[in-house]
Structures are given as structure tokens and as C-alpha cells.
């Protein structure tokens, strides 16, 4: 609970060989030990340290570091005072921060405005409740091995330069953009070149604003297996262009989920044309939905969770007025609990 760590930890020599470090609930800690100098450190987790402002500071004795030379996984959560990676006047000796990093998780760091240029080996990037404003990819032309990009509750972000890096993002399979109200662009506002090398091929896409479907490179997506739309209290219906977007993924989309959409009144009519759709999930907190569109013959599973009573009455298998519309579906999972229950 002290403001500074014991002297033995602030000296590199006793902790020279450490490969894994976790520090949690060090509520009074202001300055971290010189972890960036540890030559074998591969995993670092810092959680609930609300007074730490920098990962590396002048207090540690040097102005330049071989910064985190072997670090592969970095988890940072609830560092509310974190402002930057280095204190002013301190920098990585070779200009490269986290050269071996493959996984970066940031959560609840509202004062952190900048991220480092993404390391050349990064595979998972998860950023949540953080004040960052921009995402920088390495400037070289090498492929980016990023497989998972998750951005949640980041109000300051206005652009994610995905369209600019499409030829290098062939590995990207999981993209989640949730509750980023000021996001207006996913890169350059131009049509993506119609070659296989210039299209995203995602397994999973999770969004809260359907308008991102109309931004390149998602507008010209080549393949998608699962789409989740959730966490939007204002969405009444999908825009017309988004309805047409579904046709582009009709032969690949197999799972579709809607949840936590308090104003949603209708689902896209184009669902009927999704020839590969096998699972449709209508989740909780969709109180305004009264009717489903016609559903495709390919659908194997229809799952409801806490749907409104009006929808329940319409789709009862025995006496509901629309029960025949779902009679062809082999597996129907119904949890018809009242949404207020």
C-alpha cells in the first residue's frame, strides 16, 4: 500500500530473471519499478493502481531503455491516472516499444490518449474504456498478424484506419466495435479495390451502430460467418443500405444475433435471403419488437430470450397467428419470460 516499492524491486538485479509479473490493488503506488529493463519479462499485468501515471519514469534512473525487449502479453486495467507510456524526457533507446508484444489489453485508462505504433507481432488488441484518440500501424509494408481487434466504450476515437491497411490485414478474423459514438470512419473514404487481397474476411463482427457496415472496408466485406448487433438504445430499424449489405454476405453468414436494442421495432427483411444462415438469436432487452420477417429455409436454430409478450402470442406454435412462419425450423429455444420479470 506504500507509494514506492521496496528497494529490492526498484533495483533491476534481484528481479533480472523474472518472466511473469502481476501487480494488483497497489492503490498507493505512484512509480513502477523499471520493468522495461527486464530482459526476460514476457507477461506483465497491472490492475487497479489508480495513481500510476507512467510505465517507465525518470525515477528509475535512466532516460532511455531497451523497452520491454521480450514482453509478449501486457494487461493494464483500472489505471485511471495513466497518461503515457514514458514520463516526459524518457524514451525507448531504439525508438521501439514492445517489439515482441502479441497481446495488448487496456481497460479503464481514461487519461491515456495515445497508443504506441502497433508492434509488428501484435495478434490481439483489446481496448476498453480508454481515452485514446488514434490507432497507428507500423509504417513498413510487412503483413500485420492482427487476428482480433476489440474496441469498446472509447468515446474519443473518431477513426480506425482499417481501410488504409487492408492488404496487410489478411489475418484479421474477429472485429468488435461497441459504443464508440464519435467513430465516423474506418479509413479512407473511397471504394476498396475489387481484388481478393483488398477485402476483409471475418469470422466474427460485433457492432452497436449498423452505420459502420456502410463504411469501407466493411461495406465491401468478402466473407463473414457471425454478426452480432447489440448495445444500442436508439436503433429503431436498420438503414436501407444496411439491408442491402446483408445480401453481400448471404452465402457466408451462418450466425446472426440481436440483443440489448431497446428501441428496435423490426429486423431486416433481407434475412429471408440469407442462404447460409443457421442460427438466429433474439436476445434480451428488445421490448419493441413485435414481428419477425420471413426466415430462410436454411435456418436450423431460432433462439429467443426474454422477448415481449406480444411477440410471444404471435409465434406460439399451437395458436399464434405467425406460428407457421417458424414451423420449418428444427430447433426452437423459447424463453418467453416477460421482459420486466
Amino acid at each position: 500500500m506504500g507509494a514506492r516499492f521496496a528497494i529490492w524491486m526498484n533495483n533491476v538485479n534481484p528481479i533480472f530473471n523474472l518472466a511473469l509479473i502481476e501487480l494488483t490493488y497497489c492503490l498507493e503506488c505512484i512509480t513502477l519499478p523499471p520493468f522495461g529493463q527486464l530482459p526476460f519479462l514476457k507477461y506483465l499485468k497491472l490492475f487497479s493502481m489508480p495513481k500510476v501515471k507512467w510505465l517507465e519514469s525518470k525515477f528509475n534512473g535512466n532516460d532511455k531503455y531497451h523497452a520491454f525487449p521480450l514482453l509478449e502479453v501486457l494487461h493494464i486495467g483500472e489505471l485511471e491516472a495513466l497518461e503515457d507510456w514514458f514520463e516526459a524526457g524518457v524514451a525507448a533507446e531504439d525508438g521501439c516499444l514492445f517489439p515482441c508484444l502479441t497481446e495488448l489489453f487496456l481497460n479503464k485508462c481514461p487519461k491515456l490518449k495515445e497508443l504506441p505504433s502497433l508492434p509488428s507481432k501484435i495478434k490481439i488488441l483489446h481496448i476498453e474504456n480508454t481515452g485514446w484518440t488514434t490507432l497507428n500501424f507500423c509504417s513498413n509494408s510487412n503483413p500485420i498478424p492482427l487476428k482480433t481487434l476489440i474496441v469498446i466504450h472509447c468515446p474519443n476515437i473518431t477513426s480506425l484506419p482499417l481501410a488504409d491497411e487492408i492488404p496487410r490485414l489478411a489475418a484479421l478474423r474477429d472485429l468488435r466495435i461497441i459504443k464508440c459514438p464519435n467513430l465516423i470512419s474506418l479509413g479512407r473514404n473511397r471504394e476498396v479495390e475489387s481484388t481478393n487481397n483488398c477485402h476483409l474476411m471475418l469470422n466474427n463482427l460485433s457492432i452497436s451502430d449498423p452505420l459502420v457496415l456502410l463504411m469501407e472496408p466493411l461495406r465491401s466485406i468478402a466473407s463473414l460467418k457471425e454478426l452480432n448487433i447489440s448495445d444500442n438504445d436508439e436503433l429503431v430499424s436498420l438503414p436501407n443500405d444496411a439491408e442491402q449489405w446483408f445480401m453481400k454476405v448471404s452465402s457466408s453468414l451462418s450466425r446472426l444475433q440481436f440483443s440489448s436494442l431497446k428501441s428496435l421495432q423490426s429486423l431486416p427483411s433481407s434475412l429471408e435471403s440469407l442462404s447460409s444462415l443457421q442460427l438466429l438469436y433474439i436476445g434480451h432487452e428488445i421490448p419493441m419488437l413485435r414481428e419477425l420477417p420471413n426466415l430462410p429455409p436454411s435456418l436450423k436454430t431460432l433462439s429467443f430470450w426474454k422477448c415481449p409478450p406480444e411477440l410471444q402470442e404471435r409465434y406460439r406454435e399451437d395458436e399464434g397467428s405467425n406460428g407457421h412462419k417458424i414451423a420449418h425450423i428444427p430447433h426452437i429455444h423459447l424463453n418467453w419470460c416477460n421482459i420486466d420479470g
Side-chain angles (χ1 to χ4, degrees):
M1 299 298 290
R4 288 169 55 179
F5 282 87
I7 294 177
W8 69 269
M9 200 168 193
N10 281 305
N11 183 347
V12 171
N13 292 332
I15 59 174
F16 186 83
N17 290 314
L18 282 177
L20 183 151
I21 296 175
E22 293 189 8
L23 301 179
T24 61
Y25 297 102
C26 302
L27 303 181
E28 298 299 323
C29 175
I30 297 174
T31 302
L32 292 173
F35 294 145
Q37 300 180 48
L38 300 181
F40 304 113
L41 184 64
K42 292 187 176 183
Y43 179 99
L44 176 61
K45 177 180 179 180
L46 306 173
F47 181 78
S48 196
M49 305 177 71
K51 295 186 178 182
V52 171
K53 293 184 178 181
W54 308 283
L55 290 190
E56 293 286 339
S57 66
K58 291 181 179 178
F59 172 80
N60 292 328
N62 295 315
D63 292 337
K64 290 185 180 293
Y65 298 89
H66 292 293
F68 303 95
L70 285 186
L71 192 69
E72 296 176 358
V73 178
L74 176 61
H75 286 231
I76 298 179
E78 296 187 17
L79 269 65
E80 289 88 350
L82 187 68
E83 297 176 359
D84 207 339
W85 305 101
F86 295 107
E87 185 179 2
V90 181
E93 188 171 79
D94 53 3
C96 186
L97 183 61
F98 311 127
C100 294
L101 199 69
T102 61
E103 300 180 17
L104 174 59
F105 296 79
L106 296 176
N107 187 20
K108 293 185 180 179
C109 302
K111 292 186 178 181
L112 186 62
K113 303 302 181 185
E114 299 293 335
L115 298 181
S117 293
L118 289 185
S120 60
K121 298 181 180 180
I122 193 75
K123 293 182 179 180
I124 299 175
L125 179 60
H126 184 141
I127 308 173
E128 188 168 351
N129 296 297
T130 298
W132 67 304
T133 58
T134 185
L135 180 63
N136 297 314
F137 291 100
C138 293
S139 58
N140 60 42
S141 59
N142 296 329
I144 302 168
L146 187 66
K147 294 182 177 181
T148 299
L149 174 59
I150 301 173
V151 183
I152 301 175
H153 287 283
C154 292
N156 295 338
I157 190 73
T158 58
S159 177
L160 291 173
L162 300 182
D164 307 339
E165 302 291 350
I166 283 300
R168 303 169 63 198
L169 287 172
L172 187 62
R173 291 294 178 266
D174 185 1
L175 176 61
R176 308 178 207 178
I177 305 173
I178 306 293
K179 287 196 172 182
C180 298
N182 293 309
L183 182 69
I184 58 174
S185 170
L186 295 180
R188 294 168 293 186
N189 292 319
R190 67 173 183 81
E191 290 294 322
V192 174
E193 298 175 15
S194 56
T195 65
N196 291 334
N197 293 329
C198 291
H199 289 302
L200 284 181
M201 300 183 66
L202 298 176
N203 290 335
N204 175 69
L205 174 62
S206 297
I207 59 174
S208 57
D209 184 358
L211 289 177
V212 302
L213 299 176
L214 309 180
M215 302 176 189
E216 295 293 3
L218 292 180
R219 189 182 186 94
S220 300
I221 194 169
S223 177
L224 178 65
K225 293 183 179 180
E226 180 173 346
L227 174 64
N228 302 283
I229 301 178
S230 65
D231 298 288
N232 187 329
D233 292 343
E234 300 178 358
L235 181 67
V236 176
S237 63
L238 272 69
N240 290 334
D241 287 349
E243 290 248 2
Q244 299 173 9
W245 177 90
F246 275 95
M247 301 301 296
K248 296 181 180 180
V249 295
S250 61
S251 61
S252 62
L253 191 67
S254 61
R255 299 170 64 91
L256 180 57
Q257 302 190 45
F258 298 91
S259 62
S260 297
L261 303 167
K262 292 184 178 179
S263 300
L264 187 68
Q265 297 181 10
S266 63
L267 299 182
S269 59
S270 51
L271 295 192
E272 185 178 13
S273 302
L274 299 180
S275 58
S276 295
L277 191 65
Q278 297 189 25
L279 182 146
L280 175 62
Y281 173 80
I282 312 296
H284 66 293
E285 295 187 20
I286 309 185
M288 305 303 293
L289 187 64
R290 298 291 182 268
E291 189 168 0
L292 302 179
N294 291 330
L295 300 175
S298 61
L299 197 62
K300 299 289 191 298
T301 302
L302 175 62
S303 181
F304 294 95
W305 176 254
K306 293 190 175 181
C307 293
E310 292 85 348
L311 194 63
Q312 172 183 352
E313 293 301 322
R314 284 177 178 268
Y315 289 91
R316 285 185 183 277
E317 292 184 77
D318 49 358
E319 54 189 26
S321 59
N322 288 348
H324 63 283
K325 290 187 176 182
I326 61 174
H328 68 285
I329 302 172
H331 307 288
I332 300 176
H333 306 298
L334 306 178
N335 185 319
W336 291 117
C337 296
N338 190 305
I339 58 171
D340 297 322

